[in-house]
Amino acid sequence: SPVGTATADTVQHFAVAANSGGSGWLVWDDLSARVRAVPLVTPPFGHTRDNSIVLVPRERLAHNVDVVYPGRLPAERLGQAEDLRGLEMALQELLAQRWDLLNAGHGCVGVHADVLFVLGYLGELRHATLHALQQVPAGDFVHDAMSYNWSKAHRDAVADQVIRRLRRRYGRIPGFHQVAATHAQQMYWECQLHYRYEPARAKRPAR
């Protein structure tokens, strides 16, 4: 594979020479005892809080795992990303680097179009979620039978509407039926925490 060719040196030991302040160098010794240094970029968020982009300039290769999944939708709960706005910033940071091929950690070798696809998907996911929040009244789920789990029921109702909206464009993308619900559920809380919207009014009074 292109990635296998680009990273032909067998890695025996990794040592991060500088991994603070957003950039640095990743240095390793391979089995031939040669020392190689490559740039390291560390956005504050992504798959994890220590998300890192390793660049191999000579091969124009970027290594950034569990953020982009070339050829399919992101993994469950968007790769367990803690902050979806931070995830978008990390993707923008990845696009700003100089590379032609992406070793994304899972699946196929990626290119810039794969990163743009994820950014577009996140934008549509957010738009669909905010729209659904204005259509599905939370008050309809607040009653004696759901005194403890009304928020989960509202989340799932919003997610169902989001999935119906996204299915028209993304329904045939591998993974949609397995992971789209978890994406919508995670975006539900992101929108509740960080975005303003006009909530839908309850269709019936709470009991």
Side-chain angles (χ1 to χ4, degrees):
S1 69
V3 171
T5 302
T7 58
D9 293 338
T10 302
V11 178
Q12 184 181 37
H13 175 70
F14 287 93
V16 176
N19 191 11
S20 60
S23 63
W25 292 88
L26 180 70
V27 182
W28 77 76
D29 298 323
D30 65 19
L31 293 178
S32 302
R34 291 174 297 176
V35 176
R36 188 173 184 184
V38 295
L40 179 69
V41 180
T42 55
F45 291 99
H47 174 53
T48 61
R49 292 194 179 207
D50 58 352
N51 173 64
S52 297
I53 303 168
V54 180
L55 301 169
V56 187
R58 188 176 66 189
E59 289 87 354
R60 296 189 65 83
L61 173 72
H63 175 80
N64 187 216
V65 302
D66 294 339
V67 176
V68 178
Y69 298 77
R72 54 190 173 131
L73 287 183
E76 183 178 1
R77 301 195 182 281
L78 297 164
Q80 310 296 334
E82 297 179 22
D83 183 322
L84 299 189
R85 295 181 302 171
L87 174 61
E88 289 178 292
M89 289 189 290
L91 289 166
Q92 294 286 1
E93 185 69 32
L94 178 59
L95 280 175
Q97 308 307 313
R98 299 181 63 182
W99 54 272
D100 293 329
L101 296 175
L102 173 67
N103 177 17
H106 297 281
C108 304
V109 175
V111 294
H112 284 81
D114 295 304
V115 183
L116 291 170
F117 171 82
V118 178
L119 282 168
Y121 176 71
L122 287 171
E124 291 194 44
L125 179 64
R126 177 180 296 105
H127 178 77
T129 303
L130 288 170
H131 181 268
L133 283 167
Q134 297 178 74
Q135 300 295 318
V136 182
D140 283 357
F141 300 88
V142 182
H143 52 82
D144 292 343
M146 287 190 175
S147 58
Y148 290 106
N149 62 351
W150 70 267
S151 59
K152 179 179 181 296
H154 182 240
R155 180 204 66 184
D156 292 346
V158 168
D160 286 344
Q161 190 173 121
V162 170
I163 292 169
R164 288 196 298 271
R165 189 181 182 96
L166 294 181
R167 184 179 289 117
R168 288 171 286 183
R169 180 166 184 177
Y170 297 99
R172 295 186 178 181
I173 302 296
F176 180 86
H177 298 289
Q178 289 76 37
V179 299
T182 70
H183 296 170
Q185 290 166 0
Q186 188 165 5
M187 187 60 78
Y188 171 91
W189 294 115
E190 184 83 2
C191 290
Q192 294 281 37
L193 291 170
H194 300 298
Y195 292 88
R196 292 183 178 181
Y197 63 91
E198 186 64 31
R201 293 187 177 183
K203 298 176 183 177
R204 56 177 175 72
R207 292 188 285 113

